[in-house]
Amino acid sequence: MKRTVLSMFFSLIATLSSVSAFADSLEVVATVPALASLAQEIGGDQIKVTSLSLPTQDPHFIDARPSLALALNRADLLLFVGLELEQGWLPTLMTSARNGKIQPGASGYLDCSSVVERLGVSNTALDRRMGDVHPAGNPHYLFDPRNALRVAQAIAERLAAIDPENAASYQTRLESFQTDLSQRIAAWEARMVPFKGAPIIAYHSSWLYLATWLGLTEVAFIEPKPGIAPTPAHVAQVLAIGRAKGVRAILQETFYADSASRLIAEKIPARLLRLSAGPDVRGGESYAAQIEKIVSALEAALLPQAHQAEVTP
Amino acid sequence: MTRLIRRRLQARAATFVASVSLAAFCFLFSSLIPAPCAWAESEIESAASPESLPTIAPDELAEIERALGQDSAKPNHPPQPPPASANPVVAALSNFNPDLAVILDVAAGWFSGETGKPITSGGHDPKKTGFTFQQLELSIGKAVDPYFRFDANLVFSQFGVEVEEAYATSLALPFSLQIRAGQLLTRFGRLNASHPHSWEFADQNFALTRLFGAEGNRGLGLELSWLMPLPWFTEIIVSATDATGAATARSFLGAGEFDIDSPLDFQLTAALKQFFPITDALSLNLGLSAVTGPNSTGNGNRTDIYGLDFYLRYRPVTGAALRWIALQAEVFWRRRQIPDDLLQDVNAYAQLVWRFADRWSVAARYEWGSAATGIDGEHTSLDWLDPEWTRDRQRVSAAATFHPSEFSRLRLQGARDHAPSITPDPIWSVILAAEFFVGAHAAHAF
């Protein structure tokens, strides 16, 4: 009797598991929408992409909802930003996902920071008095599209390794994506040439790669330290610096409170650019479209006639 | 006469401790949040003095203060970009060491009543009027190899160390199965498997303390769980653990030592957990749990406990990141066989937590525990664990928590605890608790 029950239990497990195992497309799970978008460009119809977070959410603080563990449980490939960006929630999910395919060292595990040139790597001893710091480097590298080229390459290689049958089509899509994005990069760089060295203020240290790419100078951060909310004395200091340096643009992701930034923008005056952290993948927005949005917003803000304090939606 | 004096002195001491804790709380807060205007004004002068720093007009500073609150901090140095230099070795060096985190919980409390003590308490609860060292927790974790992950929580009290948890978790079993083996908190209900640093109150729930003991339900054993291949998250968990432990399995064998003759001599736990992402912002977790094991009254008598847990959380996915509100409730039904009778009781709690600002949250909790009834439905004093618990007990608690950062918090909690059969008057309490966290970034369970 016991044996029958036991064998029934295991055959039930086997049947149910095999049902889910025979899905026809490759399951790719990305922690942030920008990576999901890149994966979709390369994978096309051959893959099904899920993003664990929305562009309106702070990727440092995503709730480890069990539904995300379920997505990871079924994943063939996990793409994540790394550099401890997802440290607060991804490890828990990866353990409860019980999926050997996406554990470190497996072919389904891709730390995308491994292929980019890192900025903001600390070579001094860090401690938490400096705020919520990322010792291995600043994780916001996807705001530099040249890094997207490298990440796309890595994704294509990994997809080809997991799914050799479709390797050729991944390669084709990669090439057309890279050609297109490279042309756009050249155009964006040309448009931003007049603003080389322009001073900007950032809320969080999210725009280091963007600023480095476009040759902008980050002169102040509205957060006194990473992860610490602005204090009035600090805001006053930032305002003074902003005026002294003639800052015209303040950059911040939409998930940060904007009262301090608005105030500074009005006082300098400068334009507050509240930018999405990633493309709206659900709404069909591509990675390139989002970078285009950022460049256009910067261009508009930095033009000499854009003196008026304005807040982009 | 001397007794009267002593009592008065005790009462005075209690009031003193309470006022000291309140004063300390207020002081700590005032140093971290808005401070008197006078400070802010002196700041304008000091901010203006360094020649190298650009400045702004005083009326503008006043406007900033109106908008953001005043600030007692000294003027900041010009913001520094993060130190930059490529040095991949630094990151690589620490890769093989386990991730360590050390968490300190300390509290000061005041309890009304003659004894100045709470009615019953969990192992980490403030235990008396005065200071309490709640715990120093060392949590250690790392992947062992591609197949296992290791986790341990060592808890240091003032005079000893205990291995609260030390277990391995499988990472890559087929069929979405997972095994945990070692000393572990059972996943009975929602709160039991959590550690004090993720609690929303400064003390343990009395339901779990009453059912399992001061430390919650845990033991040496083995757990198997299965993530079912369904469109929504459904997990089935079964575990077998030691049924002994005065502070961990009191409804079962408690402090006694017994031989194992059959699998039924272990504590056997089963749970079903389901998660529904109703919207991106709204989450619902539902759980059913059951546990059975032998109890210490002999003759093959057993204890069964059934639990139902509910967790509803709303966290907007647009706008400011750290805002959420969550309702959590659990109900437990316990049945214990004793010679010639069957004891039954129900314990429940519900709590509402609201993180309403980047650095602030408030919480309210209601707890209820019925007296044990015999087979005739009458209240009985045959309960060998809590013979005094012959009438319902209710406790209402409210807490306000200040989070200076992700790694520290200060909590002020007040409670009214009424157990008429144990103390005639309700016991009021005020607790000020502080927590400090250093080490590897904590990964938070949902």
Side-chain angles (χ1 to χ4, degrees):
Chain A
M1 175 63 195
K2 260 187 192 167
R3 194 168 286 179
T4 348
V5 172
L6 212 64
S7 65
M8 274 171 66
F9 176 70
F10 278 107
S11 58
L12 178 74
I13 293 181
T15 333
L16 286 171
S17 306
S18 56
V19 169
S20 63
F22 279 111
D24 26 20
S25 55
L26 217 57
E27 296 271 348
V28 177
V29 171
T31 55
V32 297
L35 290 177
S37 168
L38 295 180
Q40 195 68 69
E41 300 272 3
I42 311 303
D45 300 338
Q46 271 116 9
I47 65 169
K48 189 174 162 287
V49 185
T50 310
S51 172
L52 297 182
S53 64
L54 296 169
T56 53
Q57 288 178 295
D58 184 347
H60 298 85
F61 301 103
I62 302 295
D63 278 344
R65 299 169 102 197
S67 49
L68 306 185
L70 192 67
L72 286 172
N73 173 253
R74 286 153 201 193
D76 298 298
L77 174 59
L78 164 66
L79 306 171
F80 67 102
V81 174
L83 303 178
E84 299 193 354
L85 180 73
E86 300 101 338
Q87 191 77 2
W89 51 281
L90 189 60
T92 317
L93 289 174
M94 284 181 62
T95 303
S96 54
R98 50 201 92 181
N99 180 355
K101 286 188 278 188
I102 56 155
Q103 300 298 331
S107 60
Y109 174 93
L110 183 53
D111 176 352
C112 298
S113 72
S114 61
V115 298
V116 304
E117 266 179 47
R118 300 174 192 182
L119 299 177
V121 180
S122 167
N123 61 347
T124 57
L126 294 180
D127 80 34
R128 297 272 179 219
R129 275 173 291 188
M130 301 169 179
D132 197 358
V133 283
H134 295 273
N138 185 309
H140 305 278
Y141 54 79
L142 286 166
F143 285 126
D144 178 349
R146 295 172 303 178
N147 282 329
L149 292 175
R150 300 187 182 106
V151 171
Q153 170 100 34
I155 294 173
E157 283 165 12
R158 204 51 79 84
L159 284 174
I162 298 172
D163 179 21
E165 274 181 33
N166 292 312
S169 54
Y170 297 137
Q171 187 58 34
T172 315
R173 283 199 212 95
L174 172 70
E175 280 161 17
S176 77
F177 172 76
Q178 285 185 325
T179 315
D180 175 63
L181 191 63
S182 303
Q183 283 166 2
R184 286 170 188 263
I185 289 173
W188 287 323
E189 285 172 353
R191 275 160 65 188
M192 292 300 286
V193 164
F195 310 113
K196 272 259 149 53
I200 57 166
I201 289 176
Y203 182 88
H204 179 77
S205 178
S206 312
W207 313 99
L208 175 62
Y209 292 87
L210 181 79
T212 309
W213 169 47
L214 296 174
L216 307 172
T217 316
E218 291 178 294
V219 295
F221 297 98
I222 296 175
E223 283 181 331
K225 286 167 184 174
I228 307 283
T231 57
H234 179 74
V235 166
Q237 192 63 58
V238 172
L239 172 54
I241 293 171
R243 275 204 190 135
K245 306 259 182 188
V247 167
R248 291 214 186 100
I250 297 175
L251 276 67
Q252 119 169 49
E253 283 141 320
T254 50
F255 44 74
Y256 290 114
D258 68 350
S259 51
S261 323
R262 269 174 194 278
L263 194 67
I264 295 172
E266 276 166 28
K267 292 271 152 204
I268 289 181
R271 199 181 278 202
L272 170 59
L273 311 178
R274 298 192 72 210
L275 301 169
S276 174
D280 176 14
V281 178
R282 279 192 201 166
E285 190 181 27
S286 70
Y287 173 80
Q290 192 226 349
I291 300 293
E292 168 63 37
K293 238 188 217 172
I294 294 175
V295 172
S296 303
L298 270 173
E299 202 178 23
L302 295 176
L303 280 174
Q305 63 267 32
H307 270 304
Q308 291 266 301
E310 254 183 76
V311 175
T312 59
Chain B
M1 185 62 192
T2 44
R3 223 173 127 195
L4 192 71
I5 292 170
R6 200 192 302 156
R7 231 184 246 178
R8 278 201 186 151
L9 281 175
Q10 275 175 352
R12 268 195 202 162
T15 327
F16 174 73
V17 170
S19 48
V20 165
S21 3
L22 274 172
F25 193 64
C26 297
F27 173 74
L28 282 166
F29 274 52
S30 65
S31 64
L32 290 158
I33 53 162
C37 250
W39 293 23
E41 273 164 23
S42 67
E43 209 175 87
I44 297 170
E45 289 161 17
S46 56
S49 54
E51 293 148 359
S52 55
L53 300 181
T55 55
I56 57 166
D59 60 322
E60 282 180 336
L61 183 60
E63 193 178 334
I64 291 171
E65 284 170 355
R66 273 199 302 281
L68 296 171
Q70 287 123 20
D71 187 5
S72 65
K74 292 238 181 270
N76 286 282
H77 298 290
Q80 299 285 323
S85 152
N87 189 354
V89 182
V90 176
L93 272 180
S94 61
N95 273 353
F96 295 109
N97 294 325
D99 298 329
L100 294 180
V102 184
I103 303 159
L104 173 67
D105 287 285
V106 285
W110 168 79
F111 296 88
S112 74
E114 290 190 14
T115 57
K117 282 182 183 168
I119 296 173
T120 57
S121 61
H124 306 292
D125 295 359
K127 290 173 187 64
K128 58 181 191 331
T129 291
F131 296 107
T132 300
F133 184 88
Q134 289 186 281
Q135 67 157 3
L136 177 67
E137 181 184 327
L138 175 62
S139 97
I140 305 167
K142 198 74 177 181
V144 176
D145 52 29
Y147 316 108
F148 295 103
R149 176 184 165 81
F150 169 85
D151 286 281
N153 291 287
L154 309 180
V155 172
F156 298 75
S157 64
Q158 242 169 325
F159 306 104
V161 185
E162 68 178 312
V163 180
E164 195 170 74
E165 287 194 286
Y167 60 85
T169 309
S170 72
L171 294 174
L173 282 187
F175 307 125
S176 298
L177 294 169
Q178 190 162 57
I179 284 175
R180 287 201 301 155
Q183 166 86 351
L184 42 91
L185 284 160
T186 61
R187 294 179 63 197
F188 176 89
R190 181 169 172 83
L191 200 62
N192 186 63
S194 65
H195 290 272
H197 62 261
S198 57
W199 295 349
E200 302 295 344
F201 293 87
D203 52 6
Q204 169 70 298
N205 202 287
F206 77 60
L208 292 174
T209 313
R210 180 184 187 191
L211 298 177
F212 299 116
E215 296 292 332
N217 187 222
R218 60 163 202 243
L220 260 176
L222 187 67
E223 177 196 277
L224 174 70
S225 62
W226 179 35
L227 182 56
M228 294 180 72
L230 294 173
W232 70 97
F233 182 95
T234 307
E235 189 182 10
I236 292 177
I237 302 156
V238 288
S239 67
T241 46
D242 265 347
T244 55
T248 57
R250 73 198 292 260
S251 293
F252 303 103
L253 295 177
E257 280 196 21
F258 297 85
D259 294 331
I260 301 285
D261 296 323
S262 89
L264 289 177
D265 290 337
F266 289 110
Q267 178 198 314
L268 303 173
T269 310
L272 171 73
K273 314 257 181 206
Q274 298 196 78
F275 176 80
F276 304 96
I278 301 171
T279 67
D280 288 329
L282 190 63
S283 307
L284 175 65
N285 226 358
L286 289 176
L288 285 171
S289 311
V291 55
T292 178
N295 71 36
S296 57
T297 61
N299 300 323
N301 285 333
R302 300 189 68 77
T303 296
D304 303 319
I305 307 174
Y306 304 95
L308 176 68
D309 60 275
F310 170 94
Y311 183 66
L312 185 68
R313 177 181 171 96
Y314 177 74
R315 182 178 171 193
V317 288
T318 54
L322 270 180
R323 302 283 187 280
W324 52 268
I325 186 162
L327 177 65
Q328 174 174 334
E330 288 188 71
V331 183
F332 308 102
W333 173 35
R334 176 171 64 165
R335 294 160 52 90
R336 285 172 292 168
Q337 294 175 332
I338 58 171
D340 304 322
D341 211 338
L342 174 70
L343 299 180
Q344 296 191 67
D345 54 66
V346 177
N347 294 276
Y349 76 90
Q351 67 186 40
L352 186 69
V353 184
W354 182 28
R355 179 85 180 235
F356 64 92
D358 282 341
R359 295 176 138 191
W360 285 92
S361 61
V362 287
R365 177 179 68 184
Y366 173 74
E367 298 165 81
W368 174 73
S370 80
T373 52
I375 206 157
D376 53 3
E378 296 295 319
H379 288 173
T380 165
S381 55
L382 291 172
D383 184 349
W384 75 100
L385 294 171
D386 303 290
E388 288 184 312
W389 199 315
T390 54
R391 293 176 67 186
D392 294 359
R393 175 180 174 189
Q394 297 180 72
R395 182 164 69 177
V396 180
S397 316
T401 308
F402 177 61
H403 311 260
S405 77
E406 234 191 305
F407 305 100
S408 59
R409 76 175 179 218
L410 292 169
R411 176 168 286 160
L412 183 64
Q413 178 175 328
R416 178 187 187 271
D417 193 351
H418 195 36
S421 61
I422 302 171
T423 59
D425 297 322
I427 291 192
W428 294 85
S429 61
V430 178
I431 297 167
L432 173 66
E435 181 176 279
F436 308 100
F437 178 111
V438 290
H441 208 298
H444 309 283
F446 183 77

